[in-house]
Amino acid sequence: MTHTDEQSFGRILISSRSLDEYRAMFNLSEADLERRILDCPSGAAGFAAEVSHRGGDVTGCDVAFFEDGVGGVAAQAVAEAERGNQYVRDHRDQYRWTFFADPDEHNRQRRQAAERFAAHARRAPESYVAGRLPALPFADNDFELTLSSHLLFSYAVDLDYDFHLRAILELMRVTAGELRVFPLVAIGESTRYPDLDALLAQLRAHDIDGRIADVSYEFQAGGDQMLVCRHTTK
Ligand SMILES: C[S@@+](CC[C@H](N)C(=O)[O-])C[C@H]1O[C@@H](n2cnc3c(N)ncnc32)[C@H](O)[C@@H]1O
């Protein structure tokens, strides 16, 4: 199945996850939240808004900011949250209802994150930068911690192995510390990306150590692990 099939999302969803969801997906500690963070792709996540409200430093980067501008993405964030919620309702059995009690709570939390993103994007548009993986508009080692959720591995049906490799190398180029990628399963699947071992071997050849870590969050069934990458030579 491709994501242009009727049953699926259609075009890639511009989703809105909250700080609480990011904390759980990426095992984020208080110390992590004090690092200079890149969120790519950020979509319309409320993460940057909430961390910045606490005095932290997050840059959101997404291809959608080219097409629609930050203001345009802000204007459609709530509608995109509704689109994501409709998918979840239609595919309820693919999800574990522990982080969210039910689809209504999912809708409430994602809408709230979208609204936070929209308000922050209007107030601080400089926090959001247009960028298209696998080429980002940032200097080498610009960030201490990079978070990447729900593009790589999630859309493995549409994005080939070479894209995954080049995107991770690029995310690592701009990262001095650590890259965390979540989840490791494709939408509609519950088993890990099949070419992960080959990818890890190729990353090692580029002096990048990639490890799989369990996280205390599982919404999509089977999506309870992240990939953590570090440079071995820096
Ligand atoms: C499902 S959202 C994930 C957003 C956010 N990380 C979250 O978890 O809510 C996927 C995002 O990937 C963005 N995207 C798709 N292709 C991209 C690319 N080549 N480079 C950067 N962003 C891309 C889309 O615009 C969309 O906002």
Side-chain angles (χ1 to χ4, degrees):
M1 185 174 80
T2 74
H3 292 290
T4 50
D5 289 344
E6 255 173 59
Q7 284 279 299
S8 66
F9 275 125
R11 68 186 162 77
I12 291 179
L13 186 76
I14 303 176
S15 57
S16 294
R17 291 181 173 80
S18 64
L19 169 58
D20 280 349
E21 236 183 311
Y22 268 62
R23 268 187 207 277
M25 295 183 314
F26 292 115
N27 281 350
L28 293 173
S29 65
E30 287 302 310
D32 287 332
L33 294 175
E34 285 169 18
R35 298 159 90 181
R36 179 165 156 70
I37 299 174
L38 172 65
D39 179 20
C40 181
S42 60
F47 175 69
E50 289 184 78
V51 175
S52 115
H53 184 69
R54 299 160 38 111
D57 179 359
V58 178
T59 298
C61 178
D62 198 285
V63 72
F65 302 143
F66 277 125
E67 292 155 20
D68 306 311
V70 178
V73 175
Q76 51 180 307
V78 170
E80 283 291 272
E82 296 279 358
R83 185 162 75 95
N85 181 252
Q86 191 56 55
Y87 179 91
V88 162
R89 283 179 195 278
D90 293 345
H91 300 82
R92 203 187 160 117
D93 57 334
Q94 292 174 11
Y95 295 89
R96 300 264 187 261
W97 296 98
T98 46
F99 188 87
F100 303 107
D102 55 39
D104 288 342
E105 193 194 342
H106 173 269
N107 197 26
R108 261 193 314 278
Q109 291 201 26
R110 293 289 177 86
R111 282 185 62 117
Q112 188 179 60
E115 283 160 3
R116 285 194 171 126
F117 160 80
H120 186 241
R122 288 187 195 104
R123 220 172 37 246
E126 67 284 357
S127 299
Y128 300 93
V129 175
R132 186 190 307 272
L133 285 166
L136 297 178
F138 304 113
D140 293 357
N141 304 320
D142 218 353
F143 300 93
E144 295 168 307
L145 174 63
T146 294
L147 306 176
S148 186
S149 94
H150 296 92
L151 177 66
L152 299 174
F153 310 125
S154 291
Y155 287 89
V157 169
D158 305 302
L159 304 170
D160 66 15
Y161 175 85
D162 188 53
F163 178 86
H164 281 75
L165 177 63
R166 290 192 300 138
I168 291 176
L169 292 176
E170 179 66 353
L171 289 163
M172 286 302 287
R173 179 187 68 75
V174 304
T175 306
E178 208 172 273
L179 164 68
R180 302 182 194 174
V181 184
F182 178 89
L184 305 183
V185 293
I187 294 168
E189 304 281 331
S190 55
T191 52
R192 203 193 270 177
Y193 182 66
D195 297 324
L196 197 57
D197 288 344
L199 189 64
L200 295 182
Q202 271 194 282
L203 290 174
R204 273 195 294 281
H206 289 270
D207 298 321
I208 293 168
D209 176 54
R211 299 276 161 96
I212 309 303
D214 292 339
V215 302
S216 59
Y217 168 97
E218 184 181 11
F219 178 43
Q220 184 187 342
D224 58 355
Q225 292 183 313
M226 66 175 168
L227 171 64
V228 180
C229 294
R230 294 190 188 92
H231 296 283
T232 55
T233 52
K234 272 185 193 160

